[in-house]
Amino acid sequence: MATTAPPQINLFDPALQQCPYDAYRKLRDEAPVYNIPGTQIYVVSRYDHVREVLMDPVRFPSTALSELMRASPVDMERGRKVAERFREKGWLPAPTLAGRDDPNHKQMRAMFNEAFKPSRIKEIDPRVETLAYELIDEFVDEGRCDWVRQFCVPLPLFIIGEQMGAKREDMWRIKGWTDAFFHRISLMLPEDKHLEMVDREIEAQHYFQPIFERLREEPDGSLISVLVNTVIEGWGRPLNDEELHAEMMADTFVGGSETTTNALAAGMKLLIENKDVWAKLKADPDKYMRNFVEEVLRLESPVQSLMRFTHKDVELDGVTIPAGSVVNVRYGAANRDERFFECPEKLDLDRPKAGAHMAFGSGTHHCLGAPLARRELTWGFQAVVDRFEEMEFAEGENDFSYHPHFLLRSLKQLNITFQPRKR
């Protein structure tokens, strides 16, 4: 039976979140199913246990027993205020694809599978390639940049924004709205700031609502048009406004850009810290690029954790998790589990089965945007190989701090200097 972890492991501590990996190791070793004191949250940290939870939606469903828990998993009263604010000023976001169970999930996902089918990703791929080089070429002659703001943010944001019918001149405004969603779901905000983020997200709703209405009248074949107009089998209707607004933030803009932004930032930081890896990747990108991308995703999982729930009492590793609990599935901990990965803290370009990580989840909820994310990461780092000779951290300009967040891992900025490669 698992023992209780030391109480000093507080995953809500912003200082711990800066580098949580020692805490993850302690959890895996001493309390692989850990109840955060004073909460209904149970943290699952070992690879096999994480996989067990993800592969068993009957015992560990994605739907919360209460709508208010979905709005705020650690504060039901705040969840009520959040729901009221959305209803009063905009649209209360419906459960996202990730927050649904079958058959409802399967029916909705079939529509998303059509929207993100391989042929559509293949059509987008040349645009990803072109944009990656264009972005670097905008600053390559300067020999320095804020890698996060000038490359990691715009590459996936502009790609998904174009697919969602947004105007190029509105992209940074949209980034402000996706930042609001990012902070709203962090579980780290005081109530007043939380509600402020809700208000900013409602601004986004009023931006996209006329786009939905126009596309209902005049479908144009774009990805957003598919989401707006596809009649879901089993539902007899397309997504309604509340469902569309939920998907715009969660599964398209934040799921489709924020996570890739964080992986692009993590990858550059790892390359600068591991000069041997950079030399190897630069010498033979055709051989090593795929494994490099997978190792970045494993080591610095952009989504550190997500939630499952319990509707009945369940047992995992000898620990009884009561009905009505929140199960925090820690991908970031599982992806460094020494029980599954040899030398898990090492960035290994020759790692066998490098794609066995769970940065994109597993089971029925495996990330549907994974193929696009992998293409963006591949082209992003290929452009780095082709444009940069050497990179360094800009001296005295980085504190390497991460946004406080219970679920995601997001580097605030990364100022680098580089030597352009001769062309």
Side-chain angles (χ1 to χ4, degrees), residues 139-140 142-145 388 390-392 416-420:
F139 57 74
V140 69
E142 299 172 20
R144 61 186 300 114
C145 69
F388 296 166
E390 297 293 342
M391 304 86 67
E392 299 290 346
I416 66 170
T417 59
F418 52 83
Q419 179 185 344

Side-chain angles (χ1 to χ4, degrees), residues 55-276:
M55 299 302 288
D56 193 346
V58 174
R59 292 166 66 214
F60 302 100
S62 296
T63 50
L65 280 175
S66 165
E67 179 186 77
L68 300 183
M69 181 179 282
R70 176 167 59 84
S72 183
V74 295
D75 186 342
M76 298 278 276
E77 176 59 23
R78 187 184 298 190
R80 182 187 62 77
K81 293 179 181 178
V82 167
E84 283 182 358
R85 185 70 64 97
F86 271 118
R87 286 195 181 99
E88 177 190 350
K89 296 186 176 183
W91 293 262
L92 176 64
T96 63
L97 184 63
R100 296 171 183 263
D101 292 304
D102 289 339
N104 192 267
H105 165 265
K106 185 176 181 179
Q107 293 162 338
M108 187 174 178
R109 187 171 178 114
M111 182 267 294
F112 275 94
N113 288 340
E114 173 65 22
F116 286 90
K117 61 187 178 182
S119 61
R120 190 178 290 274
I121 301 303
K122 189 175 181 180
E123 289 173 8
I124 298 172
D125 197 61
R127 175 64 185 132
V128 178
E129 176 187 5
T130 300
L131 182 58
Y133 288 94
E134 285 178 351
L135 289 169
I136 288 183
D137 288 345
E138 287 178 6
F139 57 74
V140 69
D141 292 337
E142 299 172 20
R144 61 186 300 114
C145 69
D146 176 350
W147 179 246
V148 172
R149 181 169 180 81
Q150 292 177 258
F151 188 84
C152 305
V153 169
L155 179 60
L157 176 67
F158 290 4
I159 293 297
I160 198 66
E162 290 166 6
Q163 297 302 311
M164 290 294 110
K167 297 175 182 177
R168 183 70 172 263
E169 60 266 27
D170 291 337
M171 291 299 186
W172 288 101
R173 187 178 170 207
I174 291 170
K175 172 61 177 169
W177 295 330
T178 64
D179 283 348
F181 178 91
F182 168 85
H183 292 298
R184 176 171 75 83
I185 67 169
S186 70
L187 306 184
M188 299 294 292
L189 295 179
E191 185 175 295
D192 60 336
K193 289 292 184 182
H194 191 154
L195 293 174
E196 181 184 323
M197 296 304 104
V198 170
D199 288 341
R200 282 170 52 187
E201 195 175 329
I202 290 169
E203 290 178 19
Q205 294 181 336
H206 286 282
Y207 174 89
F208 285 109
Q209 184 65 27
I211 297 176
F212 301 159
E213 292 170 1
R214 172 175 57 79
L215 289 171
R216 286 180 179 127
E217 296 295 324
E218 303 172 8
D220 63 9
S222 64
L223 194 151
I224 188 174
S225 184
V226 172
L227 299 185
V228 167
N229 292 297
T230 300
V231 175
I232 298 174
E233 189 174 350
W235 294 18
R237 64 170 178 83
L239 298 178
N240 62 31
D241 290 338
E242 289 76 11
E243 290 156 351
L244 284 167
H245 285 301
E247 296 307 326
M248 288 303 287
M249 280 294 119
D251 288 327
T252 53
F253 274 104
V254 173
S257 67
E258 179 69 36
T259 51
T260 305
T261 288
N262 297 340
L264 287 165
M268 175 59 79
K269 185 170 183 287
L270 287 167
L271 285 175
I272 294 175
E273 292 170 338
N274 296 271
K275 298 296 188 182
D276 57 329

Side-chain angles (χ1 to χ4, degrees), residues 333-400:
N335 284 337
R336 288 180 177 232
D337 188 350
E338 46 284 296
R339 295 158 189 80
F340 191 86
F341 297 102
E342 187 175 348
C343 301
E345 71 290 341
K346 181 184 178 185
L347 199 171
D348 183 0
L349 294 184
D350 295 300
R351 185 177 297 279
K353 298 182 180 177
H357 62 77
M358 284 188 284
F360 292 118
S362 188
T364 58
H365 285 279
H366 184 270
C367 176
L368 61 88
L372 177 57
R374 283 187 166 105
R375 295 311 300 156
E376 290 170 336
L377 293 170
T378 298
W379 280 121
F381 292 119
Q382 185 62 53
V384 168
V385 168
D386 291 340
R387 292 291 191 261
F388 296 166
E389 193 64 46
E390 297 293 342
M391 304 86 67
E392 299 290 346
F393 299 128
E395 190 172 350
E397 295 183 28
N398 294 292
D399 61 8
F400 305 108

Side-chain angles (χ1 to χ4, degrees), residues 288-301:
Y288 292 117
M289 183 62 75
R290 180 186 177 278
N291 267 26
F292 173 69
V293 167
E294 301 302 334
E295 282 285 83
V296 170
L297 290 166
R298 182 186 67 79
L299 279 165
E300 292 288 324
S301 308

